[in-house]
Amino acid sequence: MLQNKNIKTMQSIEKQIEDKIKDDAKGTLLFPEDFQQLGSSEAVRLALHRIEKREIIRRVAHGIYVRPKESSYIGEVMPTAEEVAEGIAKRDKIRIVPTGVYALHALGLSTQIPLKLVFLTDGAARTIKVGKRTIKLKRTTPKNLLAKGKISSLVIQALREIGIDKASPTELKQILKLLKEEDLQLLKHDIKLAPEWIKQIMKKAIDG
């Protein structure tokens, strides 16, 4: 009797989770924590595993699922590694800042699509595998996460990657063009956070 009751409970949890998943828009990232009010961690994990087996959802990475969007051209559309990183940041209520080659790519300074996306974070350091790509979260000091502008924070990290006095005239031209699209107040705020040599480059977006 107890075993039958447990099976019915599991089926009930699975049905509730499935209904909740189908209420969300396709492409929404799904985490076990989203369903914690419906059952124990183990019950939720097993339910998601069974729902995945029935091909209602797909596993994106360890502990992350999605009900994929559909394209008439390519079929299922899985979330990008960038979307997964943003989803993790939202779930864990942490800040993330793109750095390294990924920052260059995000600004259009590199056509190379990085297989490893490196972010600075105030959360736990970890590595998440998403298909052939990797998300690496590197814990850093709060000061490195204080930049408020999306463009200006990327510029600071991109210039760090390029190195002092190593940016080409073409790269500098592109950087200044992008910085002029940044909100002026955010740019002024973020300039104060940059190393002196980067500060001098960023100021040119305001001075002329």
Side-chain angles (χ1 to χ4, degrees), residues 64-194:
I64 307 173
Y65 300 87
V66 71
R67 187 162 68 108
K69 294 178 181 178
E70 297 286 340
S71 164
S72 56
Y73 297 103
I74 59 173
E76 289 185 348
V77 179
M78 295 293 284
T80 64
E82 290 85 350
E83 289 170 336
V84 173
E86 289 169 8
I88 291 170
K90 185 178 179 182
R91 177 195 66 180
D92 295 349
K93 296 179 176 60
I94 59 174
R95 289 175 290 178
I96 58 172
V97 175
T99 188
V101 176
Y102 176 44
L104 294 174
H105 178 73
L107 287 171
L109 297 173
S110 170
T111 56
Q112 177 188 349
I113 298 175
L115 290 177
K116 179 183 282 188
L117 278 59
V118 182
F119 295 86
L120 300 179
T121 183
D122 54 356
R126 73 197 97 160
T127 300
I128 303 105
K129 189 80 173 169
V130 181
K132 294 180 179 179
R133 304 179 78 190
T134 302
I135 299 167
K136 185 176 178 64
L137 302 182
K138 292 174 64 176
R139 188 164 177 81
T140 189
T141 58
K143 182 183 176 183
N144 288 329
L145 298 165
L146 292 176
K148 295 180 179 179
K150 186 172 183 179
I151 296 172
S152 49
S153 62
L154 277 172
V155 164
I156 291 171
Q157 296 305 324
L159 284 169
R160 284 181 187 274
E161 176 67 14
I162 292 169
I164 189 167
D165 296 330
K166 291 183 179 177
S168 69
T170 303
E171 288 172 330
L172 290 173
K173 184 179 179 181
Q174 173 71 358
I175 284 169
L176 292 177
K177 180 183 176 183
L178 289 167
L179 285 174
K180 287 179 180 179
E181 296 174 10
E182 181 65 275
D183 179 279
L184 184 58
Q185 294 308 310
L186 297 181
L187 178 56
K188 287 180 176 179
H189 173 273
D190 294 349
I191 283 174
K192 296 174 186 175
L193 302 171

